[in-house]
């Protein structure tokens, strides 16, 4: 019996088999690698770059945690 046959793979744990499934699928991709690269670049732009411009840290102007907490509390209660 060949140790690399399908029956020996069935004795491996489920997470290991799932991981191998995805690794083999990614290795055989041609166009998919380029698409994944585009997706990762877009995610980086969305979360890293846009955060700097559209989500400023407004709590930096307060000196202590108590002042920050009070500001958040009043803002939440106003709305």
């Amino acid at each position: 019996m060949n140790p690399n046959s399908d029956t020996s793979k069935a004795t491996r744990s489920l997470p290991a088999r799932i991981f191998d499934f995805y690794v083999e699928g990614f290795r055989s991709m041609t166009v998919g690698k380029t698409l994944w690269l585009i997706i990762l670049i877009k995610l980086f732009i969305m979360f890293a770059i846009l955060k700097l411009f559209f989500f400023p840290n407004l709590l930096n102007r307060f000196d202590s945690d108590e002042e920050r907490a009070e500001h958040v509390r009043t803002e939440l209660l106003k709305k």
Side-chain angles (χ1 to χ4, degrees):
M1 186 172 194
N2 186 0
N4 294 329
S5 68
D6 290 334
T7 56
S8 66
K9 287 183 181 181
T11 59
R12 296 182 60 197
S13 68
L14 181 64
R17 290 187 314 219
I18 292 172
F19 179 76
D20 287 340
F21 175 76
Y22 281 102
V23 168
E24 288 300 318
F26 192 74
R27 280 186 191 145
S28 64
M29 274 195 228
T30 54
V31 177
K33 288 182 184 178
T34 306
L35 294 176
W36 274 109
L37 180 64
I38 292 170
I39 289 169
L40 292 175
I41 290 171
K42 286 175 71 173
L43 286 173
F44 174 76
I45 290 171
M46 285 172 40
F47 289 109
I49 306 296
L50 293 179
K51 181 188 179 304
L52 296 173
F53 297 112
F54 293 109
F55 302 107
N57 191 353
L58 299 175
L59 297 177
N60 281 344
R61 62 183 177 192
F62 300 106
D63 295 328
S64 67
D65 287 339
E66 290 82 18
E67 291 175 348
R68 289 184 192 101
E70 184 60 33
H71 174 72
V72 170
R73 189 176 304 118
T74 56
E75 289 297 316
L76 287 174
L77 292 176
K78 281 194 323 189
K79 297 181 183 195

